[in-house]
Amino acid sequence: MPISLHAAFVPSCRQIIGGCLQVLAKAEAAGACDPAEARLAPDMYPLGFQVKQVAMHSAGAIAAVRVGQFSPGGAPLEASYAAFAAALREADEALASVSEAEMEGFIGGTTLFVFGERKMPFKSEDFLLSFSQPNFYFHASMVYAILRNAGVALGKMDYMGRPRMAL
C-alpha cells in the first residue's frame, strides 16, 4: 500500500518540532547563549531565523499549498526562547489539524515559490516533499547545531523528538 502525502510529511514534521521544542527548553534552562545573537557562523542567519523557517517549511508550507503560492519573508520572530517556542507550538497545532483527506487533495495541484524575481513552479506534492521538507530538516538541524555549538548539553535524541514506535 502506498504511503499517503500526509503520512510522508505531517507526522515527521510534528516529531522534529517536538525535538526543537525540547532543544530550546534545554538551552533556555542552561542560559548558554543569547537567543538574539546565537548563530553557527558569522555569515549564517541567527537562531530566530532558523526557528521561523522550521515553522514556515512545515505548517507554513501546507498553508502555501492551500493558496498555491509560497513566499519566504515576513517579520522576524521576537528574539526570545518564549517566542521561538510559541511559533513552534503554533506550527504543531496547525499541523495537527490537517487531515489526510485534505493532504491527498493537494496531489496534482500547483504551488509557486516566489522570492523577488525568482519564480519556481511545483506540483504541490513536489513542493512539500522536494523543497519544503529538505528546508525544514536543514533549519531544524541548524537550531540543534547552533545551541550545541553554544555549549548546551544536547544529544541526537534531543533533536529527534519522540519517534513513532510500534508498541
Side-chain angles (χ1 to χ4, degrees), residues 2-92:
I3 188 169
S4 70
L5 182 58
H6 183 279
F9 190 82
V10 173
S12 295
C13 285
R14 294 193 70 209
Q15 176 184 335
I16 298 302
I17 286 172
C20 285
L21 285 165
Q22 183 171 321
V23 165
L24 289 169
K26 282 189 169 188
E28 183 175 27
C33 61
D34 177 356
E37 299 298 323
R39 65 183 70 226
L40 193 55
D43 64 343
M44 289 182 74
Y45 286 110
L47 180 60
F49 177 87
Q50 307 300 334
V51 170
K52 181 177 178 182
Q53 295 309 305
V54 169
M56 291 287 300
H57 284 289
S58 57
I62 290 173
V65 168
R66 286 179 178 137
V67 299
Q69 184 172 316
F70 182 91
S71 295
L77 296 175
E78 173 194 322
S80 71
Y81 288 112
F84 298 165
L88 292 178
R89 280 193 299 274
E90 183 179 316
D92 186 57

Side-chain angles (χ1 to χ4, degrees), residues 54-142:
V54 169
M56 291 287 300
H57 284 289
S58 57
I62 290 173
V65 168
R66 286 179 178 137
V67 299
Q69 184 172 316
F70 182 91
S71 295
L77 296 175
E78 173 194 322
S80 71
Y81 288 112
F84 298 165
L88 292 178
R89 280 193 299 274
E90 183 179 316
D92 186 57
E93 289 169 11
L95 289 166
S97 72
V98 178
S99 72
E100 186 169 341
E102 180 184 19
M103 292 285 292
E104 293 307 293
F106 295 154
I107 295 172
T110 59
T111 302
L112 183 65
F113 173 82
V114 179
F115 184 65
E117 296 298 315
R118 173 178 265 179
K119 292 179 174 44
M120 297 167 57
F122 290 93
K123 286 191 176 205
S124 295
E125 63 271 27
D126 292 334
F127 171 76
L128 290 170
L129 297 176
S130 75
F131 186 80
S132 275
Q133 195 171 58
N135 272 285
F136 170 82
Y137 285 115
F138 172 81
H139 292 290
S141 69
M142 289 303 101

